[in-house]
Amino acid sequence: MSITSPIPVLQGDRDTELRADGTDLLLRRRDDELRIPLAAIAHVRAERRVVAVELTAPAGVEPVVYRIEDVSAAGATVFADVVNAALPERAEGTETIDGSSLVVTRSLRSAADVDEEAEEDEDLEGPGLFAADPWLRHTLCVAAGLLAVAVGVAGQSWSRGIATLLLGQAGAVVIHVTLMLIMCWWLPWYLPRYGITVDAEQVYRSGTTALAYTDADGVTRHIQGLAQNGTARVAYSPRKPQVAVVSRPLKIAAGELTMFLFMAGIAALLAYGTYRLALPAFGG
């Protein structure tokens, strides 16, 4: 049954678009386009500025649902009403088909885009948020430099200012490494509980072993790791899907704890030494 009534085109977030095309719905996303036949749709729900297209599924099978968010509320209501009215009637007693098997996906990404994204993934891979965001290290180094200038001007001793700079820069690096160690333990605890856990497959990239997983946007990402029997579970951050860990029981070895305590002690000594070195310049 074709759709003859004019149906609005729904524009959503992340460059998503949902529109009718004859007897199909076209869901266009950033990287792909899904052609969803009306025969594969159970119903369409309009929830304010969110439209959910639920596919048919056999009894006992959870149906696939495609959502598009941040659309016009008025347009969502009209879209859902018209599409639901145009859905084909299903005879009672017939077995419900799996609608996801009728959906055709067309990739919108070129080979160059895939290669560029893979390079970005390699840059973003790391043990945690602090490793992926160097702003913290840069901020600490700049703060040490400003403190050294203040010590040189206020104390009228540039030799003390240079010493403050060297000690402060060393402290900034050690503090950053210490925070990275904290993230290495915190993420494996946090992400499996509050992130998104998916299955990952073991792949080989550039001669090394990695785990490939697909995030909620349909983007395939990679992290370093090994998997038993070729599969593993990966937990990633909803806000930064490139930040992920292999989901497994968290055990902190005595050697790792000793390293953390050692680095934390060095960081504390360097910070205290910088404080004591700078204090006389301000009358302390």
Side-chain angles (χ1 to χ4, degrees):
M1 181 177 180
S2 63
I3 302 176
T4 57
S5 302
I7 303 179
V9 175
L10 301 181
Q11 301 282 350
D13 64 342
R14 300 180 182 179
D15 300 325
T16 53
E17 177 184 290
L18 182 62
R19 60 186 176 87
D21 182 21
T23 59
D24 299 333
L25 295 185
L26 290 182
L27 175 59
R28 187 183 182 92
R29 300 185 293 195
R30 183 179 301 171
D31 300 317
D32 55 19
E33 182 181 75
L34 279 63
R35 181 172 290 272
I36 310 171
L38 293 183
I41 301 174
H43 59 269
V44 179
R45 298 191 306 271
E47 304 165 352
R48 294 193 175 183
R49 301 190 63 190
V50 178
V51 169
V53 179
E54 181 175 323
L55 304 186
T56 58
V61 178
E62 184 176 355
V64 175
V65 179
Y66 296 112
R67 289 182 172 83
I68 178 170
E69 302 179 355
D70 290 339
V71 300
S72 165
T77 301
V78 174
F79 187 93
D81 290 343
V82 176
V83 174
N84 285 330
L87 294 179
E89 297 182 359
R90 297 177 176 87
E92 295 184 4
T94 58
E95 183 179 356
T96 304
I97 63 174
D98 184 1
S100 60
S101 64
L102 303 178
V103 177
V104 177
T105 303
R106 182 172 67 92
S107 177
L108 301 177
R109 301 164 63 196
S110 64
D113 294 336
V114 174
D115 293 340
E116 182 179 354
E117 182 181 275
E119 293 177 359
E120 291 177 354
D121 281 350
E122 293 294 338
D123 295 337
L124 292 172
E125 286 177 5
L129 299 177
F130 288 110
D133 293 331
W135 60 266
L136 177 63
R137 181 177 67 252
H138 296 162
T139 301
L140 292 173
C141 291
V142 170
L146 293 176
L147 178 62
V149 172
V151 168
V153 173
Q156 297 182 349
S157 174
W158 287 107
S159 60
R160 182 178 291 272
I162 294 174
T164 301
L165 175 64
L166 297 177
L167 195 61
Q169 294 283 1
V173 173
V174 176
I175 289 174
H176 184 260
V177 172
T178 303
L179 291 175
M180 286 177 60
L181 291 176
I182 294 175
M183 297 302 296
C184 287
W185 299 324
W186 180 75
L187 284 178
W189 175 88
Y190 179 84
L191 289 180
R193 290 166 176 78
Y194 300 100
I196 299 175
T197 301
V198 295
D199 291 330
E201 294 184 356
Q202 183 170 302
V203 297
Y204 295 93
R205 306 180 68 209
S206 302
T208 60
T209 303
L211 293 175
Y213 64 98
T214 304
D215 63 21
D217 293 329
V219 178
T220 300
R221 302 183 183 276
H222 302 84
I223 62 170
Q224 295 180 351
L226 296 174
Q228 295 181 352
N229 301 324
T231 61
R233 288 189 174 179
V234 169
Y236 66 88
S237 168
R239 295 185 177 181
K240 293 188 174 184
Q242 70 274 10
V243 178
V245 296
V246 179
S247 182
R248 60 178 180 268
L250 179 60
K251 295 180 180 179
I252 300 178
E256 294 177 337
L257 182 60
T258 301
M259 176 61 71
F260 166 71
L261 293 176
F262 174 76
M263 295 299 296
I266 295 296
L269 288 176
L270 290 174
Y272 180 73
T274 303
Y275 166 76
R276 295 296 300 177
L277 190 62
L279 190 61
F282 303 100

